[in-house]
């Protein structure tokens, strides 16, 4: 035992060199007889050790090897029209041995010696052994003499070396080769099957289920695996042997009884037989791998096309909404009534509160979908997505900008129109009031001026009529100002496009015509009275004085009453206080007016006193005026009554303006908090997007929480909208307490929502990039740390000079041409800056691998059995139904002369997957 161990240890290095590394992968368990067992640490020895230890070979294993190796040799020799019966005898002359090597290698060996002498046989065997050695295998302890002499152990060892070199050595699964590669392949294929657990090449195969599982995995039509029983190993093994021989062209190399009845079946025999299955199914494996690659590529394309269709649909819907909304906002047809314009304003508020916010979300989601799609296309080595004409993100942004410009103009127009209508209503009411007062005064004046009462009057009466006419002229001159005011108001109504301007103009024209006629009639009456003035000698001076003082005082009272009843519009407390000041000034004149009244009434008292003194019988009327003392008294009482009413109206307006001021302050208090809050959040998001803090998932969770906090803040925006609506309903159009308008807040809020959504999308894209490219979190952190270091301005962007310095610090050797090329990748829009997302995309593209058009083309070539075209049947047989139909619908017809009718061109299809052309 010790001698064998010593000899084996000295030989091991030579043996490993002999097999050129193969034995490291095909290390087999040493075979011992039941009378001698080595310790566990010496259970593995090289094949040369086993071939030289003839006495240690178990007879059962030798029997299995003889049968298996014989069947394996015959499976190749039958291609040359011959076979062997006895493995140690039929190879002794070297002829069939040379023929076997030619068949399995496909090469020609030197011409064999024809003689039958021993040295001829030895020469032929040596030619075979030399050929084996030429393939990188060193045969130690195997000589031609032992083969010629029929040494069974040496012959079996030589055949095993041939099997290793030509049947097992090239097996490779996941960078493992030979025995481990073959074992891993068996484990992968049998993993889903019950009662199968392949761990080795001996006892794992005793019940026959592993062999049946291999066949069923590749050809489920040949075996009903569900009917197999673990307690029927002989039946299972025979089923596998018969099916393999009949349908797979794998000869029967083992006996079921020998395997079942042997405690540990021979490993070499099992490996030889199992390797035949690997080679039988190798083509199917290659086709399966090719089909999987194609399915993966097509799945990526289908998903991308779905995202493109969704983008196109969402973009079309958004653009169509904008297209339909803009004409509504551009419709500046003014309504004639205030109520109709206020309804337009309410409709506009509904648009702002209800209809527009979902579209803002759609616009933001559209940009996110576009960025995600471009990232997926870039990660899958596909060309960038170019939306249909007019549906680029920039087109949508321009359309949206145009919408907001029209929207802003529409709101300004609405408010201007409401102010105009308010002014018109005020002027119209004022016009009616003044017209009514004027027409009330002129009523009957034309008839009076046309009377010829002076023709039959007495001298006193004539004088009285003359003085009366002079008083009328004074009154007429006093009313000139009102007529001018009426004309001025009518002109302003026309300039402001009053809806009932025709009625206003007609009424104004009537008043002006009447006024001109009154002037003419007055002049005519004066001329008539002057002609007879010499007839009148006396006149009651007191009546005349009364009339002269009473008329302007009466006119002053008319003006005072008009002013006290005048309507007013104010928009601030300053304006109402100005009106109150003016009213206070008016009240300050009342004592003087009262003195004037008392003086006027004193004249009447003097007339009465004189009449009583001199016994004059008064007619009861003043010949110089229609104003009676009672008229003066009544109007004076009316003036005194209107003064407190005016006080009340002004105080009510003060209360209203104070309420408006409270609304202004209330709005400003909130706006001055919300505006800076939005700005602060925008700046914080800008810092979050470039700061390193934990994994991308942690950043995503933090950003989601951040987004939720922002969404929760929406109630403050809604409250501010409510205050803004109250302000507009109260016709408050300016606010000196804040620089923030509701429009500023709305735009800032929409930008904040869009920014946080874009930031989340950038992290999502980084996760997509990391997972798709196999980039670790540590690498991403390194990329981010490098970016932040060279982001001098801390705004999430690098200038080209900073970007160049960053690349140089990471080991890039940059010339001007190379740097210009890189800049076209990271700044395709020539913005002059490099964003963090563009930097990450560039770094991952530099460090990761992607599938290529050549790889997909090679996979299709496998499915097409090396043809330059592929048929519809082949696609439907090798690919899942959905992917097969996808290819059939998009592949062009093959135009080569060697293709059958209906053949498809997979080469141009593969190129189109990665090119600029459409499928």
């Amino acid at each position: 035992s010790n001698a064998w161990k010593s000899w084996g240890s000295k030989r091991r290095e030579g043996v490993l060199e002999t097999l050129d590394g193969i034995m490291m992968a095909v290390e087999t368990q040493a075979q011992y007889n039941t009378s001698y067992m080595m310790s566990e640490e010496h259970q593995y020895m090289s094949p040369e050790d086993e071939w030289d230890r003839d006495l240690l070979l178990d007879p059962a294993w030798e029997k299995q090897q003889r049968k298996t190796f014989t069947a394996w040799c015959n499976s190749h020799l039958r291609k040359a029209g011959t076979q062997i019966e006895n493995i140690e005898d039929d190879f002794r002359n070297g002829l069939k041995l040379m023929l076997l090597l030619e068949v399995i290698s496909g090469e020609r060996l030197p011409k064999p010696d024809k003689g039958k002498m021993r040295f001829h046989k030895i020469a032929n065997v040596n030619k075979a052994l030399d050929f084996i050695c030429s393939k990188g295998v060193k045969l130690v302890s195997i000589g031609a003499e032992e083969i010629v002499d029929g040494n069974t152990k040496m012959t079996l060892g030589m055949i095993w070396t041939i099997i290793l070199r030509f049947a097992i050595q090239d097996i490779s699964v996941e960078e493992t080769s030979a025995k481990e590669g073959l074992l891993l392949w068996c484990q992968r294929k049998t993993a889903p099957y019950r009662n199968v657990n392949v761990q080795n090449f001996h006892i794992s195969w005793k019940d026959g289920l592993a062999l049946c599982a291999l066949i069923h995995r590749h050809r489920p039509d040949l075996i009903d695996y569900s009917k197999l029983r673990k307690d029927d190993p002989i039946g299972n093994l025979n089923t596998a042997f018969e099916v393999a021989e009949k349908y797979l062209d794998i000869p029967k190399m083992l006996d079921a009884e020998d395997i079942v009845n042997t405690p540990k079946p021979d490993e070499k025999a099992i490996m030889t037989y199992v390797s035949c299955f690997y080679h039988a199914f190798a083509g199917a494996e290659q086709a399966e791998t090719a089909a999987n690659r194609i399915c993966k590529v097509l799945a990526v394309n289908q998903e991308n096309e779905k995202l493109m269709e969704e983008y196109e649909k969402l973009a079309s819907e958004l653009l169509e909404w904008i297209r339909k909304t803009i004409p509504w906002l551009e419709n500046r047809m003014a309504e004639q009534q205030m109520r109709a314009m206020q309804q337009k304003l309410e409709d506009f508020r509904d648009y702002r509160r209800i209809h527009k916010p979902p579209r803002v979300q759609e616009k933001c989601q559209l940009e996110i979908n576009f960025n995600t799609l471009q990232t997926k296309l870039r990660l899958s080595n596909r060309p960038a997505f170019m939306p249909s004409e007019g549906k680029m993100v920039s087109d949508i942004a321009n359309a949206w900008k145009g919408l907001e410009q029209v929207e802003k103009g529409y709101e300004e127009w609405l408010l201007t129109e409401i102010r105009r209508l308010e002014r018109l209503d005020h002027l119209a009411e004022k016009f009616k009031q003044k017209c009514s007062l004027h027409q009330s005064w002129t009523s009957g004046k034309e008839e009076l001026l046309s009377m010829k009462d002076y023709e039959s009057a007495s001298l006193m009466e004539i004088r009285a009529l003359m003085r009366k006419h002079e008083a009328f002229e004074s009154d007429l001159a006093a009313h000139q100002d009102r007529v001018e005011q009426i004309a001025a108001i009518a002109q302003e109504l026309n300039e402001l496009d009053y809806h009932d301007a025709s009625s206003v103009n007609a009424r104004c024209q009537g008043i002006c015509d009447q006024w001109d006629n009154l002037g003419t009639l007055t002049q005519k009456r004066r001329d008539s009275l002057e002609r007879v003035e010499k007839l009148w000698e006396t006149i009651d001076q007191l009546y005349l004085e009364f009339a002269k003082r009473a008329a302007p005082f009466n006119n002053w009272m008319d003006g005072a009453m008009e002013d006290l009843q005048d309507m007013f519009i104010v928009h601030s407390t300053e304006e109402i206080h100005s009106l109150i000041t003016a009213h206070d000034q008016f009240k300050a004149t009342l004592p003087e007016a009262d003195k004037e009244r008392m003086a006027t009434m004193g004249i009447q008292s003097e007339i009465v006193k004189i009449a009583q003194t001199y016994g004059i019988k008064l007619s009861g009327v003043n010949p110089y005026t229609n104003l009676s003392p009672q008229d003066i008294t009544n109007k004076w009482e009316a003036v005194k009554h209107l003064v407190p009413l005016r006080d009340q109206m002004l105080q009510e307006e003060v209360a209203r303006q104070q309420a408006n001021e409270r609304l202004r302050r209330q709005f400003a208090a909130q706006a001055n908090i919300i505006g800076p809050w939005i700005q602060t959040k925008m700046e914080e998001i800008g810092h979050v997007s470039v700061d390193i803090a934990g994994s991308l998932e942690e950043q995503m969770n933090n950003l989601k929480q951040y987004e939720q906090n922002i969404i929760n803040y929406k109630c403050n925006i809604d409250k501010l909208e409510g205050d803004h609506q109250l302000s507009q309903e109260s016709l408050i159009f300016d606010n000196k307490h804040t620089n923030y308008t509701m429009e500023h807040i709305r735009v800032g809020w929409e930008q904040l929502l869009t920014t946080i959504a874009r930031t989340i999308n950038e992290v999502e894209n980084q996760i997509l990039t990391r997972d798709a490219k196999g980039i670790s979190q540590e690498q991403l952190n390194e990329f981010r740390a490098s970016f932040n270091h060279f982001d001098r301005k801390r705004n999430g962007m690098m200038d080209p000079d900073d970007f160049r310095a960053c690349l140089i610090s990471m080991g890039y050797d940059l010339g001007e041409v190379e740097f210009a090329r890189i800049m076209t990748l990271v700044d395709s829009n020539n913005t002059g800056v490099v964003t963090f997302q563009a930097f990450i995309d560039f770094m991952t593209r530099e460090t990761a691998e992607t599938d290529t058009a050549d790889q997909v083309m090679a996979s299709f070539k496998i499915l097409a059995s090396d043809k330059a075209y592929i048929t519809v049947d082949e696609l439907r047989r090798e690919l899942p139904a959905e992917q097969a139909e996808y290819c059939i619908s998009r592949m062009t017809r093959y135009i080569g002369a060697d293709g059958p009718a209906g053949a498809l061109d997979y080469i141009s299809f593969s190129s189109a997957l990665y090119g600029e052309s459409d499928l």
Side-chain angles (χ1 to χ4, degrees), residues 20-168:
D20 194 20
I22 295 175
M23 293 304 102
M24 291 296 291
V26 196
E27 189 179 81
T28 57
Q29 190 174 9
Q31 302 168 339
Y32 296 87
N33 59 25
T34 57
S35 63
Y36 180 78
M37 296 293 292
M38 295 178 65
S39 64
E40 183 177 355
E41 63 178 336
H42 294 102
Q43 287 182 0
Y44 293 96
M45 303 182 73
S46 68
E48 287 87 346
D49 294 338
E50 298 179 42
W51 301 333
D52 288 345
R53 294 195 281 85
D54 294 350
L55 296 176
L56 297 180
L57 185 62
D58 191 308
W61 289 355
E62 180 181 334
K63 177 182 177 183
Q64 291 175 8
Q65 287 185 17
R66 287 167 60 88
K67 179 174 180 62
T68 301
F69 291 178
T70 300
W72 184 87
C73 292
N74 284 335
S75 70
H76 294 284
L77 287 172
R78 68 185 179 184
K79 299 174 184 177
T82 185
Q83 64 178 14
I84 60 173
E85 298 294 337
N86 190 304
I87 197 165
E88 66 267 31
D89 291 337
D90 291 351
F91 285 142
R92 292 176 65 181
N93 61 4
L95 295 177
K96 289 188 177 182
L97 179 59
M98 294 177 69
L99 182 60
L100 173 65
L101 291 172
E102 288 183 345
V103 171
I104 63 179
S105 69
E107 301 179 23
R108 297 291 297 177
L109 270 67
K111 187 175 181 180
D113 292 353
K114 296 298 186 180
K116 297 183 178 180
M117 303 296 292
R118 176 177 172 81
F119 73 89
H120 292 121
K121 297 178 181 179
I122 291 174
N124 289 336
V125 172
N126 274 326
K127 292 178 181 178
L129 296 180
D130 290 342
F131 179 78
I132 295 173
C133 291
S134 70
K135 296 303 177 182
V137 179
K138 296 181 181 179
L139 298 171
V140 180
S141 300
I142 298 179
E145 291 79 2
E146 287 85 352
I147 305 303
V148 172
D149 292 339
N151 187 317
T152 301
K153 304 301 185 292
M154 290 299 177
T155 303
L156 292 175
M158 177 189 66
I159 298 302
W160 174 240
T161 300
I162 294 172
I163 293 172
L164 281 175
R165 174 60 184 81
F166 294 101
I168 298 177

Side-chain angles (χ1 to χ4, degrees), residues 400-625:
W400 189 265
K401 183 178 180 182
L403 172 70
E404 291 187 330
Q405 289 175 345
V406 174
E407 178 184 308
K408 181 179 180 182
Y410 184 71
E411 183 177 29
E412 292 175 352
W413 172 78
L414 277 177
L415 297 178
T416 301
E417 278 299 308
I418 288 175
R419 291 193 192 101
R420 185 182 69 84
L421 288 177
E422 181 188 29
R423 174 68 177 165
L424 282 174
D425 289 346
H426 170 70
L427 289 175
E429 188 62 30
K430 192 170 184 178
F431 177 81
K432 292 177 183 177
Q433 188 182 62
K434 287 186 177 295
C435 287
S436 297
L437 287 172
H438 177 76
Q439 289 174 333
S440 175
W441 177 83
T442 59
S443 177
K445 294 293 190 294
E446 290 175 304
E447 290 78 4
L448 289 174
L449 291 173
S450 301
M451 290 176 60
K452 296 185 178 181
D453 49 349
Y454 52 84
E455 292 180 352
S456 59
S458 64
L459 180 61
M460 292 299 294
E461 289 172 339
I462 291 298
R463 289 182 178 274
L465 288 176
M466 188 62 184
R467 300 300 179 266
K468 183 178 180 181
H469 187 70
E470 289 175 354
F472 173 77
E473 287 179 327
S474 177
D475 199 9
L476 184 67
H479 281 80
Q480 176 70 32
D481 183 59
R482 181 179 291 126
V483 174
E484 292 175 355
Q485 290 178 7
I486 290 172
I489 293 173
Q491 181 179 355
E492 188 172 358
L493 286 171
N494 278 276
E495 291 173 352
L496 292 176
D497 195 21
Y498 182 55
H499 70 279
D500 198 15
S502 58
S503 297
V504 170
N505 292 336
R507 191 170 186 181
C508 181
Q509 187 63 44
I511 288 173
C512 291
D513 292 344
Q514 184 189 38
W515 184 254
D516 292 340
N517 189 42
L518 283 174
T520 302
L521 291 174
T522 299
Q523 186 61 41
K524 286 182 179 180
R525 185 170 179 83
R526 167 170 279 281
D527 293 342
S528 298
L529 289 173
E530 285 178 349
R531 283 196 304 268
V532 296
E533 184 177 7
K534 61 183 180 181
L535 302 175
W536 307 106
E537 299 177 349
T538 60
I539 190 164
D540 191 343
Q541 294 298 324
L542 291 176
Y543 271 130
L544 180 59
E545 185 178 356
F546 177 88
K548 287 183 177 181
R549 297 191 72 166
F553 183 68
N554 180 71
N555 192 56
W556 175 87
M557 287 193 295
D558 285 341
M561 292 174 65
E562 181 179 349
D563 290 339
L564 289 171
Q565 298 178 81
D566 189 22
M567 299 178 64
F568 55 83
I569 296 177
V570 293
H571 296 96
S572 66
T573 56
E574 290 79 4
E575 293 179 9
I576 188 61
H577 284 309
S578 176
L579 289 178
I580 291 174
T581 300
H583 184 59
D584 290 340
Q585 291 173 352
F586 167 76
K587 289 193 293 184
T589 65
L590 289 178
E592 286 296 325
D594 191 40
K595 289 180 180 180
E596 178 66 17
R597 181 186 68 81
M598 293 299 293
T600 303
M601 297 302 292
I603 294 172
Q604 180 65 26
S605 297
E606 188 175 350
I607 291 173
V608 173
K609 182 179 179 181
I610 292 172
Q612 291 175 348
T613 302
Y614 297 99
I616 300 174
K617 185 178 181 180
L618 299 175
S619 63
V621 295
N622 190 324
Y624 303 112
T625 179

Side-chain angles (χ1 to χ4, degrees), residues 541-743:
Q541 294 298 324
L542 291 176
Y543 271 130
L544 180 59
E545 185 178 356
F546 177 88
K548 287 183 177 181
R549 297 191 72 166
F553 183 68
N554 180 71
N555 192 56
W556 175 87
M557 287 193 295
D558 285 341
M561 292 174 65
E562 181 179 349
D563 290 339
L564 289 171
Q565 298 178 81
D566 189 22
M567 299 178 64
F568 55 83
I569 296 177
V570 293
H571 296 96
S572 66
T573 56
E574 290 79 4
E575 293 179 9
I576 188 61
H577 284 309
S578 176
L579 289 178
I580 291 174
T581 300
H583 184 59
D584 290 340
Q585 291 173 352
F586 167 76
K587 289 193 293 184
T589 65
L590 289 178
E592 286 296 325
D594 191 40
K595 289 180 180 180
E596 178 66 17
R597 181 186 68 81
M598 293 299 293
T600 303
M601 297 302 292
I603 294 172
Q604 180 65 26
S605 297
E606 188 175 350
I607 291 173
V608 173
K609 182 179 179 181
I610 292 172
Q612 291 175 348
T613 302
Y614 297 99
I616 300 174
K617 185 178 181 180
L618 299 175
S619 63
V621 295
N622 190 324
Y624 303 112
T625 179
N626 290 326
L627 289 172
S628 68
Q630 189 60 44
D631 293 334
I632 299 298
T633 300
N634 290 341
K635 284 193 178 182
W636 178 253
E637 293 299 324
V639 169
K640 290 198 297 182
H641 175 72
L642 288 174
V643 168
L645 292 179
R646 184 71 169 184
D647 285 333
Q648 181 181 354
M649 288 176 60
L650 290 173
Q651 291 305 318
E652 288 175 354
E653 184 62 26
V654 167
R656 190 174 76 87
Q657 290 303 324
Q658 288 174 344
N660 288 352
E661 184 66 12
R662 285 194 295 274
L663 286 176
R664 289 188 182 95
R665 292 181 182 276
Q666 181 175 334
F667 177 87
Q670 295 183 79
N672 289 336
I673 294 173
I674 292 175
W677 183 87
I678 290 175
Q679 183 62 32
T680 300
K681 293 303 175 186
M682 289 287 288
E683 294 172 357
E684 290 176 359
I685 293 172
H687 291 306
V688 168
S689 64
V690 297
D691 290 344
I692 300 175
S695 66
L696 291 177
E697 285 74 12
E698 291 172 342
Q699 293 179 50
M700 177 64 70
N701 291 334
N702 292 337
L703 285 171
K704 289 288 187 181
Q705 294 176 1
Y706 207 85
E707 182 183 38
Q708 189 59 48
N709 291 337
I710 292 175
I711 292 173
N712 293 339
Y713 197 77
K714 178 66 163 56
C715 59
N716 296 298
I717 306 296
D718 294 338
K719 185 175 183 304
L720 190 65
E721 281 281 8
D723 290 344
H724 177 64
Q725 181 174 347
L726 291 175
S727 297
Q728 286 194 332
E729 289 172 353
S730 299
L731 301 177
I732 300 173
F733 303 112
D734 58 346
N735 195 334
K736 66 182 179 181
H737 304 296
T738 180
N739 292 326
Y740 294 99
T741 66
M742 195 64 227
E743 182 65 24

Side-chain angles (χ1 to χ4, degrees), residues 326-445:
I326 285 178
W328 174 66
L329 294 173
E330 288 178 336
N331 181 11
R332 307 294 164 84
M333 183 177 292
E335 300 292 341
Q336 297 179 349
Q337 302 296 328
M338 174 68 80
R339 181 178 298 176
M341 287 305 298
Q342 288 176 337
Q343 183 59 48
K344 280 182 177 287
L345 181 60
E346 187 61 33
D347 293 342
F348 180 71
R349 288 177 183 145
D350 288 342
Y351 157 79
R352 272 276 180 71
R353 293 193 305 262
I354 300 172
H355 303 295
K356 185 182 177 185
R359 301 300 179 176
V360 173
Q361 295 295 325
E362 287 181 11
K363 174 177 173 292
C364 178
Q365 189 61 44
L366 192 69
E367 294 177 3
I368 290 173
N369 290 353
F370 182 81
N371 293 336
T372 301
L373 174 59
Q374 297 294 36
T375 299
K376 288 187 176 183
L377 290 170
R378 186 168 55 252
L379 294 177
S380 58
N381 203 22
R382 302 309 198 271
F385 169 54
M386 290 296 294
S388 302
E389 184 177 356
K391 296 179 183 177
M392 293 288 291
V393 171
S394 58
D395 296 325
I396 295 171
N398 289 334
W400 189 265
K401 183 178 180 182
L403 172 70
E404 291 187 330
Q405 289 175 345
V406 174
E407 178 184 308
K408 181 179 180 182
Y410 184 71
E411 183 177 29
E412 292 175 352
W413 172 78
L414 277 177
L415 297 178
T416 301
E417 278 299 308
I418 288 175
R419 291 193 192 101
R420 185 182 69 84
L421 288 177
E422 181 188 29
R423 174 68 177 165
L424 282 174
D425 289 346
H426 170 70
L427 289 175
E429 188 62 30
K430 192 170 184 178
F431 177 81
K432 292 177 183 177
Q433 188 182 62
K434 287 186 177 295
C435 287
S436 297
L437 287 172
H438 177 76
Q439 289 174 333
S440 175
W441 177 83
T442 59
S443 177
K445 294 293 190 294

